Amino acid sequence: MRYAPSDLPVFTLTTGPVDAYPAVLRGLAATVLYDYDPAFQATYQRVTEKLAGMVKSETMPVLLQGEPVLGLEAAAVSLIGRDDVVLNLVSGVYSKGFAPWAARSGAEIVELAVPYNEVIDPAAVARALAARPDVTVVALCHHDTPSGTINPVAEIGAVVKAHGALFLVDAVSSFGGMKVDAESAAIDLLVTGPNKCLGCPPGLTILGVSNRAWAKMKANPQAPRASILSILDWEDAWRADQPFPFTPSVAEINGLEAAIDLYLAEGAEKVWARHALTARACRAGLKAMGLAIWPADESFASPTATAVRTPDGIDEAELRAQVRARYGVVLSSGRGETLGRLTRIGHMGPTAQPLYAVVALTALGGALGALGHGVDVGAGAAAALAVIDAG
Amino acid sequence: MRYAPSDLPVFTLTTGPVDAYPAVLRGLAATVLYDYDPAFQATYQRVTEKLAGMVKSETMPVLLQGEPVLGLEAAAVSLIGRDDVVLNLVSGVYSKGFAPWAARSGAEIVELAVPYNEVIDPAAVARALAARPDVTVVALCHHDTPSGTINPVAEIGAVVKAHGALFLVDAVSSFGGMKVDAESAAIDLLVTGPNKCLGCPPGLTILGVSNRAWAKMKANPQAPRASILSILDWEDAWRADQPFPFTPSVAEINGLEAAIDLYLAEGAEKVWARHALTARACRAGLKAMGLAIWPADESFASPTATAVRTPDGIDEAELRAQVRARYGVVLSSGRGETLGRLTRIGHMGPTAQPLYAVVALTALGGALGALGHGVDVGAGAAAALAVIDAG
Amino acid sequence: MRYAPSDLPVFTLTTGPVDAYPAVLRGLAATVLYDYDPAFQATYQRVTEKLAGMVKSETMPVLLQGEPVLGLEAAAVSLIGRDDVVLNLVSGVYSKGFAPWAARSGAEIVELAVPYNEVIDPAAVARALAARPDVTVVALCHHDTPSGTINPVAEIGAVVKAHGALFLVDAVSSFGGMKVDAESAAIDLLVTGPNKCLGCPPGLTILGVSNRAWAKMKANPQAPRASILSILDWEDAWRADQPFPFTPSVAEINGLEAAIDLYLAEGAEKVWARHALTARACRAGLKAMGLAIWPADESFASPTATAVRTPDGIDEAELRAQVRARYGVVLSSGRGETLGRLTRIGHMGPTAQPLYAVVALTALGGALGALGHGVDVGAGAAAALAVIDAG
Amino acid sequence: MRYAPSDLPVFTLTTGPVDAYPAVLRGLAATVLYDYDPAFQATYQRVTEKLAGMVKSETMPVLLQGEPVLGLEAAAVSLIGRDDVVLNLVSGVYSKGFAPWAARSGAEIVELAVPYNEVIDPAAVARALAARPDVTVVALCHHDTPSGTINPVAEIGAVVKAHGALFLVDAVSSFGGMKVDAESAAIDLLVTGPNKCLGCPPGLTILGVSNRAWAKMKANPQAPRASILSILDWEDAWRADQPFPFTPSVAEINGLEAAIDLYLAEGAEKVWARHALTARACRAGLKAMGLAIWPADESFASPTATAVRTPDGIDEAELRAQVRARYGVVLSSGRGETLGRLTRIGHMGPTAQPLYAVVALTALGGALGALGHGVDVGAGAAAALAVIDAG
């Protein structure tokens, strides 16, 4: 049998948009209230307060009304002015892609880059900052999703803090699936969203902002105001008695609350553990099938997405097409420089359950076989199971 | 009995966010697909194609991933460059509020203003254009929601077309509730969204773009690219075989499709007729209760929102608080200059059903009575019913 | 404008099936679990335990897997054996209709009847029991819905208790909308369901059973076992560690839990108060419009449904057809002997909100006018509002 | 990691209640209409008409308002009178369990039984009928779910037809997942429901009735009337202009329509093919893992449920507990005589997708290993994949 492109897939094991939790879908379907209705204003404040315990920023989290690509652009143009010097830590397509936003104000961008299957060395950051003591902002992508690699955010944060620069971190595809918060990593501007490991659809940004970051943004004459790109406009919007700069995305907020409630009910440690175990099982299975992960070292492979190097001679787009057509499974491609060179299996939110690793391995292995690159799917499943059982 | 602020309201008769159609809520709860899944790409194209018949722009409608305040800002900064001269037609708070976005590029803004309870006279537009033949863009807010007034968009469009300027129209709170489309009003850049008369939650913008508007935006070096504010990035995104600039709001798209399907199944003329009849019934009831509408003349009172002038001596915020506390009804306030001076009753989407006018009249009348401004609610209900019966 | 029969109605103000709470609809959409999954078994027990505080029966409430017509038949055939003498208290179509089920076992049925717009006098029950000391079961319909009348259940219960008979009560359309429970009315077998005042769809029965009723059913050789009609089979099914006799209606149970949670969060007294106030407002409006209620005395008019006597010369079916076609409002007809003679307005669950009385009055009045029986709708609305404001 | 009993499972791969299609869940959440609202009456008729093409009975399908255990009891007591002689074909727990209902009227029951891992031989039916020419009704369970075996319904139907008896078939857990309909198997009274292969929650029965069966029921004085067990009461209820005997389960009907629409959109042949392929893959995997299926011969193993014989020394309840605790997978036990002797993996509705076989195999194999009965899970996954790829 074959799944037609118009058939709904059976398993969406992607790196975002991810399959949403059923409870989130029901949350999205909640009655839409007027944004200035006190019941909604209370909801908005309550959601923010719940997030505060997860983001652990010095000030209350800020919600922006667009998926995190808005948050990243807004963060860049709000925090960075023309007098800034930004150290952009580049370990992949997304961190590289941050530069144009960072540079929009006219700031100077200094780049510290590593190959896209490596991660940033905190010592290298220290050296870079020593070489350029005028750096005022350091930007990091915690999980460079197109590479499936996790940068050592806490260690880099300590270096940045010692230097005195502001630390801007894209934690979009790691937050909620592993430990990362503003406090433990000394992050001044943490950008994330509910549409990855929290299992929501795309549509919102979550920001964690330090006191210094607020001060910097307020002092920045170039920081957007009265704009979709403004962070400043939303500083007090979380308070039930304060106005919204413009209409928030009511349904997405309702969905987010459902996701947060699931997360808190399960417990962060348990949520992270199942993300990590799913990824470990996936990697073990790949190895047993003779497939290589993209990250140069498994120690920094992501717990929320596994990037599989495309075997020689395989057309990666065709590979994913086969995975979907033969098994109803949707996987993610690479992006930019990694496009065609790897396939990504998401372990985010509802699909961060170990047995989904077996689903992904089977589908991937089966499709490779169909394309003439036979692998031992049985060995993959068994290896994954062994990890799950030990987990 | 009293409704506490934390109680869910019984009737949300606002001007947006509006109560959503139940079918839209179920649409929002549909399975979240990966944006590059062919089934979702087909959905996105299909939604756009259905919208094409509603927006009637020369080119395929564009969806932006944020509620229409994004669309308005994006339209302003994409279409208007520093060499432009913009005639901004100001008949209320929202049209006035468009100016800063229009001016961001450095363009000159010429203003033609009327009192906020009046509408723009096409002849005055003609005169203004004659006086300033260098005007390149004319901006109009079709329904200046904080005033509940409808500008004669088709007549103004004809004037603008004759002049040769581009016509940029905010039709956010009229589209879907009355006849307004790019073709019949010669609109070059129509900005609207599903979160008013289509009965969706806020979260998306719908744009209708003429060929000239595309050409102008493409030629504008200041038009945003690689930005949440970019329209250009999304030109081809509607095609199932083209990439998205960034992740679209999957759930909102699903909800929008449900709304469109309802609209098309009911038929545009029928939808508009029930909006108009609800508003007429509401106005008749207000008159019978001795209350004045805000618009100076009923002929340009909106069919999608009725603005009621606050009686002397009444605190408008307290009035709405009473309406909610006593009857569980949520109404909208004015905004900016109209804040405190009027209360708005929305007739949008699912609440554009004539009997909701009676609900609103009863609640408003009851609350006025409670505040010492007794009105004849019975006369109001009877007058509304008479209109409904004749409708 | 007219609503076509195929159009969805705008307001469903019926006596059941009733409009469901949005939260109940989302509850129905919850993930369907295997009935023997421990998570579902825990849900089933939890739902029963929550109901216990509402039903107040001596033993744990029992859920049957069908709407209360199943519960009534099951109660009759489980409790009543061929040696029983049943006093059936008849005040309307539903109480009359109970007799054939009561008689199925061969038991003798003694009837105490009043006109269908009256209620049962407890003193008459006492006299009837004195005349027939061999009566073993007394059956009452608390709210004979087709009449909109409320029998004095607590007073009758005291009489029955003094006599020593078992008291079987149909509280289907009163439970959850007014005070009625097994304890306060000395009910041995209380039959109700979630599909009226709890705002659920039809599909389940709720039973409250006394110890004596269990003993009687167990001793009754005619009581169904291994049957959809068995109550006995379900005695222990509420316990998470006990099997179900057959598969329960998983989705309906999920919906019921959502309804119970709403009820408990709002508080029983508040829920009852808004049912009562809505009905009072409705009756005041009818009176002001010159329309008569069906009950002979307002003191026993139901707080959950208002029965309006059909004016002379009006075709009641045509009246409801007009109400729907002109205003999108759905009302209920009478049943059996009351069919054609009255129209019922439900005040149950989500529509037991006072302003819905105005909606119903306006629609009813408007339709009467259209049929040539003009009434003063304004007076009706004003009178209803006065009651609401005083409520 | 371990899943607690209170945690929601990740995969519900049971034989009913089954995981419901997301579209069915949204259908359940549709607005609840009054049962006599013309829009609902039209829905009810439309649903019945759609079912007609699936059930292929001589007359319009009948819906009963309870899960199929109601339908089976109702069928038995409606069709069978005290003068009947019933040949009950027993190949498992469910067919055996039908006898008490069949006997309730006082009819004589003749049993033709085979071991519970075998199926009925049509030739044996012919012999039994030859031996008892007075048999008037033959009862068969098409898929005796607790055994996972499929009886040759069409062949037996031909024998029964030749004899002239009425053919009553329980097709609850096969209908919708494989070819079975009244026409092709000469069934006079087909009993099924939406809660298995159609992917709905339990709550409704679907009946297909021949003209002879209607005549027989009408002539049967013992056939229930004015009862939840009555089929006769519902004969015309499908017509939009006819009354319902009592309130139908509105939400379940809405859910059923969603399921039917999915089924028709996908196409029956495609639906059946994926059920069959999933089961084939599952069986191949079991074999490769050294596990035996319960059916004595794979040729009559069910395409909708695979029964796995419990290995010696394994506690089956503990096995399923491990499957759930370790992997979040829910499987079904046996029932009655098969309880403890087998575990069942459902392939019904949304889980009848081949890759779910791998999920089940992995979980089952892992749990067996944990209990000391190591199996080669890798071989199982590989064998399943080979079948899928060839399918």
Side-chain angles (χ1 to χ4, degrees):
Chain A
M1 68 178 284
R2 290 295 180 272
Y3 296 90
S6 58
D7 291 341
L8 285 184
V10 182
F11 301 96
T12 292
L13 303 178
T14 51
T15 56
V18 300
D19 196 17
Y21 287 106
V24 169
L25 296 178
R26 295 195 299 278
L28 288 163
T31 302
V32 174
L33 298 182
Y34 186 52
D35 55 346
Y36 284 101
D37 188 273
F40 180 73
Q41 291 177 307
T43 296
Y44 199 91
Q45 176 166 335
R46 190 174 61 241
V47 167
T48 307
E49 288 168 345
K50 290 177 186 173
L51 280 173
M54 297 164 67
V55 175
K56 298 190 180 173
S57 46
E58 290 175 359
T59 68
M60 288 300 281
V62 172
L63 293 167
L64 297 186
Q65 313 303 317
E67 77 107 32
V69 78
L70 162 63
L72 291 166
E73 183 182 3
V77 299
S78 294
L79 194 71
I80 301 168
R82 67 173 60 87
D83 298 330
D84 282 305
V85 177
V86 178
L87 174 62
N88 192 35
L89 304 174
V90 174
S91 62
V93 175
Y94 281 1
S95 40
K96 181 71 180 180
F98 184 73
W101 291 329
R104 192 181 291 164
S105 66
E108 180 185 353
I109 310 297
V110 179
E111 186 177 287
L112 169 58
V114 294
Y116 285 9
N117 61 342
E118 293 282 355
V119 289
I120 303 291
D121 178 1
V125 178
R127 287 192 297 272
L129 291 173
R132 285 297 300 260
D134 56 344
V135 165
T136 51
V137 175
V138 177
L140 176 76
C141 183
H142 181 211
H143 176 202
D144 212 313
T145 335
S147 294
T149 48
I150 298 289
N151 280 298
V153 64
E155 292 76 3
I156 295 171
V159 170
V160 175
K161 189 176 185 183
H163 176 80
L166 288 164
F167 192 29
L168 190 165
V169 174
D170 167 354
V172 173
S173 58
S174 53
F175 181 81
M178 64 183 294
K179 181 174 175 60
V180 56
D181 59 65
E183 185 179 274
S184 64
I187 299 169
D188 290 288
L189 190 40
L190 183 155
V191 183
T192 189
N195 54 317
K196 301 282 183 178
C197 301
L198 293 182
C200 288
L204 290 176
T205 288
I206 300 166
L207 298 176
V209 190
S210 73
N211 288 312
R212 286 175 68 215
W214 276 122
K216 178 85 162 67
M217 290 192 284
K218 289 175 189 176
N220 180 8
Q222 293 168 284
R225 288 163 178 85
S227 170
I228 186 84
L229 281 167
S230 178
I231 296 173
L232 292 171
D233 292 354
W234 288 87
E235 182 177 8
D236 296 320
W238 66 275
R239 296 184 193 272
D241 60 357
Q242 292 296 308
F244 298 110
F246 60 86
T247 309
S249 297
V250 176
E252 306 284 348
I253 300 289
N254 290 335
L256 172 57
E257 182 162 33
I260 294 171
D261 289 346
L262 286 177
Y263 183 89
L264 297 178
E266 186 173 355
E269 300 279 351
K270 281 187 65 179
V271 174
W272 302 341
R274 64 173 164 83
H275 280 78
L277 182 58
T278 307
R280 276 211 311 281
C282 192
R283 294 194 300 266
L286 292 169
K287 194 171 178 182
M289 283 158 60
L291 296 171
I293 60 171
W294 174 262
D297 191 300
E298 192 176 339
S299 66
F300 49 75
S302 170
T304 72
T306 296
V308 189
R309 195 175 281 270
T310 311
D312 287 347
I314 295 294
D315 176 328
E316 199 273 336
E318 178 61 18
L319 176 63
R320 279 179 297 105
Q322 288 290 329
V323 164
R324 191 188 195 286
R326 301 175 77 89
Y327 312 108
V329 175
V330 182
L331 303 178
S332 291
S333 65
R335 290 286 175 95
E337 295 192 24
T338 70
L339 181 64
R341 302 171 70 188
L342 56 82
T343 298
R344 288 178 296 158
I345 301 164
H347 322 296
M348 295 180 175
T351 60
Q353 300 282 5
L355 229 50
Y356 280 111
V358 176
V359 170
L361 292 165
T362 307
L364 191 66
L368 282 168
L371 294 176
H373 186 94
V375 295
D376 187 343
V377 168
L385 181 61
V387 168
I388 297 170
D389 280 341
Chain B
M1 68 177 282
R2 290 295 180 272
Y3 296 90
S6 58
D7 291 342
L8 285 185
V10 182
F11 300 97
T12 292
L13 303 178
T14 51
T15 55
V18 301
D19 196 17
Y21 288 104
V24 169
L25 297 178
R26 295 195 299 278
L28 288 163
T31 302
V32 174
L33 297 183
Y34 186 52
D35 55 345
Y36 283 101
D37 189 273
F40 179 73
Q41 290 176 308
T43 296
Y44 199 91
Q45 176 166 335
R46 191 174 61 241
V47 167
T48 307
E49 287 168 345
K50 290 177 186 174
L51 280 172
M54 298 164 67
V55 174
K56 298 190 180 174
S57 46
E58 290 175 0
T59 67
M60 289 301 281
V62 173
L63 292 167
L64 298 186
Q65 313 304 316
E67 77 107 31
V69 78
L70 162 63
L72 291 165
E73 183 182 3
V77 300
S78 294
L79 194 70
I80 301 168
R82 68 173 59 88
D83 298 330
D84 282 304
V85 177
V86 178
L87 174 62
N88 192 34
L89 304 174
V90 174
S91 62
V93 175
Y94 281 1
S95 41
K96 181 71 179 181
F98 184 73
W101 291 328
R104 191 180 291 164
S105 67
E108 179 185 354
I109 310 297
V110 178
E111 186 177 287
L112 169 58
V114 294
Y116 285 10
N117 62 342
E118 293 282 357
V119 289
I120 303 291
D121 178 1
V125 177
R127 286 192 298 271
L129 291 173
R132 286 294 302 259
D134 56 343
V135 165
T136 51
V137 175
V138 178
L140 176 75
C141 182
H142 181 212
H143 175 202
D144 211 314
T145 335
S147 294
T149 49
I150 297 290
N151 280 299
V153 64
E155 293 78 0
I156 295 171
V159 170
V160 175
K161 189 176 185 182
H163 176 80
L166 288 163
F167 192 29
L168 189 165
V169 174
D170 167 355
V172 174
S173 57
S174 53
F175 181 81
M178 65 184 294
K179 180 174 176 61
V180 55
D181 59 64
E183 183 179 275
S184 64
I187 299 168
D188 290 289
L189 190 40
L190 183 155
V191 183
T192 189
N195 54 317
K196 302 281 183 178
C197 300
L198 293 182
C200 289
L204 290 176
T205 289
I206 300 166
L207 298 176
V209 190
S210 73
N211 288 313
R212 286 176 67 216
W214 277 122
K216 178 84 161 70
M217 292 191 284
K218 289 175 189 178
N220 180 6
Q222 293 168 283
R225 287 165 179 83
S227 169
I228 186 85
L229 281 167
S230 178
I231 296 173
L232 292 171
D233 292 355
W234 288 87
E235 182 178 8
D236 296 321
W238 67 274
R239 297 184 193 273
D241 60 358
Q242 292 296 308
F244 298 110
F246 59 86
T247 310
S249 297
V250 176
E252 306 284 348
I253 300 289
N254 290 336
L256 172 57
E257 182 162 34
I260 294 171
D261 288 347
L262 286 177
Y263 183 89
L264 297 178
E266 186 173 357
E269 300 279 350
K270 282 187 66 179
V271 174
W272 302 341
R274 64 173 166 82
H275 280 78
L277 183 58
T278 306
R280 277 211 311 282
C282 192
R283 294 194 301 266
L286 292 169
K287 194 171 179 183
M289 283 159 59
L291 297 171
I293 60 171
W294 174 263
D297 191 298
E298 191 175 340
S299 66
F300 48 75
S302 170
T304 71
T306 296
V308 189
R309 194 175 281 269
T310 312
D312 288 345
I314 295 293
D315 176 328
E316 199 273 336
E318 177 60 18
L319 176 62
R320 280 179 297 106
Q322 288 288 330
V323 164
R324 192 188 194 285
R326 301 174 77 89
Y327 313 109
V329 174
V330 182
L331 303 177
S332 291
S333 65
R335 290 287 176 94
E337 295 192 24
T338 70
L339 181 64
R341 302 172 70 188
L342 55 83
T343 299
R344 288 178 295 158
I345 301 163
H347 322 297
M348 294 178 175
T351 61
Q353 300 283 4
L355 230 51
Y356 280 111
V358 176
V359 171
L361 292 165
T362 307
L364 191 66
L368 282 167
L371 295 176
H373 185 93
V375 296
D376 187 343
V377 168
L385 181 61
V387 168
I388 297 169
D389 281 340
Chain C
M1 67 178 283
R2 291 295 180 273
Y3 295 90
S6 58
D7 290 342
L8 284 184
V10 183
F11 300 97
T12 292
L13 303 179
T14 51
T15 56
V18 301
D19 196 16
Y21 287 105
V24 168
L25 297 178
R26 295 196 299 279
L28 288 163
T31 302
V32 174
L33 297 183
Y34 186 52
D35 55 347
Y36 284 102
D37 189 273
F40 180 73
Q41 291 176 308
T43 296
Y44 200 90
Q45 176 166 334
R46 190 174 62 241
V47 167
T48 306
E49 288 168 345
K50 290 177 186 174
L51 280 172
M54 298 164 66
V55 175
K56 298 190 180 173
S57 45
E58 291 175 359
T59 67
M60 289 299 281
V62 172
L63 292 167
L64 297 186
Q65 313 304 317
E67 76 107 32
V69 79
L70 162 63
L72 291 165
E73 184 182 3
V77 299
S78 294
L79 194 71
I80 300 168
R82 68 173 59 87
D83 299 330
D84 283 304
V85 178
V86 178
L87 175 61
N88 192 34
L89 305 174
V90 173
S91 62
V93 175
Y94 280 2
S95 39
K96 181 72 179 179
F98 184 72
W101 291 328
R104 192 181 291 164
S105 66
E108 180 185 352
I109 310 297
V110 179
E111 185 177 289
L112 169 58
V114 294
Y116 285 9
N117 62 341
E118 292 283 355
V119 289
I120 303 292
D121 178 0
V125 177
R127 287 191 298 272
L129 291 173
R132 285 297 300 262
D134 57 343
V135 164
T136 51
V137 174
V138 178
L140 177 76
C141 184
H142 182 211
H143 176 202
D144 212 313
T145 336
S147 294
T149 48
I150 297 291
N151 281 297
V153 65
E155 292 77 1
I156 295 171
V159 169
V160 174
K161 190 177 185 183
H163 175 80
L166 288 163
F167 193 29
L168 190 165
V169 175
D170 167 355
V172 174
S173 58
S174 53
F175 182 81
M178 64 183 296
K179 181 174 175 61
V180 55
D181 59 64
E183 184 180 274
S184 64
I187 299 169
D188 290 289
L189 190 41
L190 183 156
V191 183
T192 189
N195 53 317
K196 301 282 182 178
C197 300
L198 293 182
C200 289
L204 290 177
T205 289
I206 301 166
L207 299 176
V209 189
S210 72
N211 287 313
R212 285 176 68 215
W214 276 123
K216 178 85 162 70
M217 291 191 284
K218 288 175 188 175
N220 180 7
Q222 293 168 283
R225 287 164 179 82
S227 170
I228 186 87
L229 280 167
S230 178
I231 296 173
L232 292 171
D233 293 354
W234 288 88
E235 183 178 7
D236 296 321
W238 66 274
R239 296 184 193 274
D241 59 358
Q242 292 295 309
F244 298 111
F246 60 86
T247 310
S249 297
V250 176
E252 306 284 348
I253 300 290
N254 290 336
L256 172 57
E257 182 162 34
I260 294 171
D261 289 346
L262 286 177
Y263 183 89
L264 297 177
E266 185 173 356
E269 300 279 350
K270 282 188 64 179
V271 174
W272 303 340
R274 64 174 165 81
H275 280 78
L277 182 58
T278 306
R280 276 212 311 282
C282 192
R283 293 194 301 267
L286 291 169
K287 194 171 178 182
M289 284 158 58
L291 297 171
I293 60 171
W294 174 261
D297 192 298
E298 192 176 340
S299 67
F300 49 75
S302 169
T304 72
T306 296
V308 189
R309 195 174 281 270
T310 312
D312 288 345
I314 295 293
D315 176 329
E316 199 272 336
E318 177 60 18
L319 176 62
R320 279 179 297 106
Q322 288 290 329
V323 164
R324 191 187 195 285
R326 300 175 77 88
Y327 312 109
V329 174
V330 182
L331 303 178
S332 291
S333 65
R335 290 286 175 95
E337 294 191 25
T338 69
L339 181 64
R341 302 171 71 188
L342 56 81
T343 299
R344 288 178 296 159
I345 301 163
H347 322 297
M348 295 179 174
T351 61
Q353 299 284 4
L355 229 51
Y356 280 111
V358 176
V359 170
L361 292 165
T362 306
L364 190 66
L368 282 168
L371 295 176
H373 185 92
V375 295
D376 187 344
V377 169
L385 181 61
V387 168
I388 297 169
D389 280 341
Chain D
M1 68 178 282
R2 290 295 180 273
Y3 295 90
S6 58
D7 290 343
L8 284 184
V10 183
F11 300 96
T12 292
L13 303 178
T14 52
T15 56
V18 300
D19 196 17
Y21 287 105
V24 168
L25 297 178
R26 296 196 299 278
L28 289 163
T31 302
V32 173
L33 297 183
Y34 186 52
D35 54 346
Y36 284 101
D37 190 273
F40 180 73
Q41 291 177 307
T43 296
Y44 199 91
Q45 176 166 334
R46 191 175 60 241
V47 167
T48 307
E49 288 168 346
K50 289 177 187 174
L51 279 173
M54 297 164 67
V55 174
K56 298 189 180 174
S57 45
E58 290 175 0
T59 67
M60 289 300 281
V62 173
L63 292 167
L64 297 185
Q65 313 304 315
E67 77 107 32
V69 79
L70 161 63
L72 291 166
E73 183 182 3
V77 299
S78 294
L79 194 70
I80 301 169
R82 68 174 58 88
D83 299 330
D84 281 305
V85 178
V86 178
L87 174 62
N88 192 35
L89 304 174
V90 174
S91 62
V93 175
Y94 281 2
S95 39
K96 180 73 180 180
F98 184 73
W101 291 327
R104 191 181 291 163
S105 66
E108 180 185 352
I109 309 297
V110 179
E111 186 177 287
L112 168 58
V114 295
Y116 285 9
N117 63 341
E118 292 282 355
V119 288
I120 303 291
D121 177 0
V125 177
R127 287 191 299 270
L129 290 174
R132 286 295 302 260
D134 56 343
V135 165
T136 51
V137 175
V138 177
L140 176 76
C141 183
H142 181 212
H143 175 203
D144 213 313
T145 335
S147 294
T149 49
I150 296 290
N151 281 297
V153 64
E155 292 76 1
I156 295 171
V159 169
V160 175
K161 189 176 185 183
H163 176 78
L166 289 163
F167 192 30
L168 190 165
V169 174
D170 167 354
V172 174
S173 58
S174 53
F175 182 81
M178 64 183 294
K179 179 172 176 62
V180 55
D181 59 65
E183 185 179 275
S184 64
I187 299 170
D188 290 288
L189 190 39
L190 182 156
V191 183
T192 189
N195 54 317
K196 301 282 181 178
C197 300
L198 293 182
C200 289
L204 290 176
T205 289
I206 300 166
L207 299 176
V209 189
S210 73
N211 288 313
R212 286 176 68 215
W214 276 122
K216 178 84 161 68
M217 291 192 283
K218 289 175 190 177
N220 180 7
Q222 293 167 284
R225 289 167 178 80
S227 170
I228 186 85
L229 282 167
S230 178
I231 296 173
L232 292 171
D233 292 354
W234 288 87
E235 183 178 8
D236 296 321
W238 66 275
R239 296 184 193 274
D241 60 358
Q242 293 297 308
F244 297 111
F246 60 86
T247 310
S249 297
V250 176
E252 306 284 348
I253 300 289
N254 290 336
L256 172 57
E257 182 162 32
I260 294 171
D261 289 347
L262 286 177
Y263 183 89
L264 298 178
E266 185 172 356
E269 301 280 350
K270 281 188 65 179
V271 175
W272 303 340
R274 64 173 165 82
H275 280 78
L277 183 57
T278 306
R280 275 210 313 280
C282 192
R283 293 193 302 266
L286 291 169
K287 194 172 179 182
M289 284 158 59
L291 296 171
I293 59 171
W294 174 261
D297 192 299
E298 191 176 340
S299 66
F300 48 76
S302 170
T304 72
T306 296
V308 189
R309 194 175 281 270
T310 312
D312 289 345
I314 295 294
D315 177 328
E316 198 273 336
E318 177 60 19
L319 176 63
R320 279 179 297 105
Q322 288 289 329
V323 164
R324 191 187 194 286
R326 301 174 78 88
Y327 312 109
V329 174
V330 182
L331 303 178
S332 291
S333 65
R335 290 287 175 95
E337 295 193 24
T338 69
L339 182 63
R341 302 171 70 187
L342 57 81
T343 298
R344 287 178 295 158
I345 301 163
H347 322 297
M348 294 178 175
T351 61
Q353 300 284 4
L355 230 50
Y356 280 111
V358 176
V359 170
L361 292 165
T362 307
L364 191 67
L368 282 168
L371 294 176
H373 186 93
V375 295
D376 187 344
V377 169
L385 181 61
V387 168
I388 297 169
D389 280 341

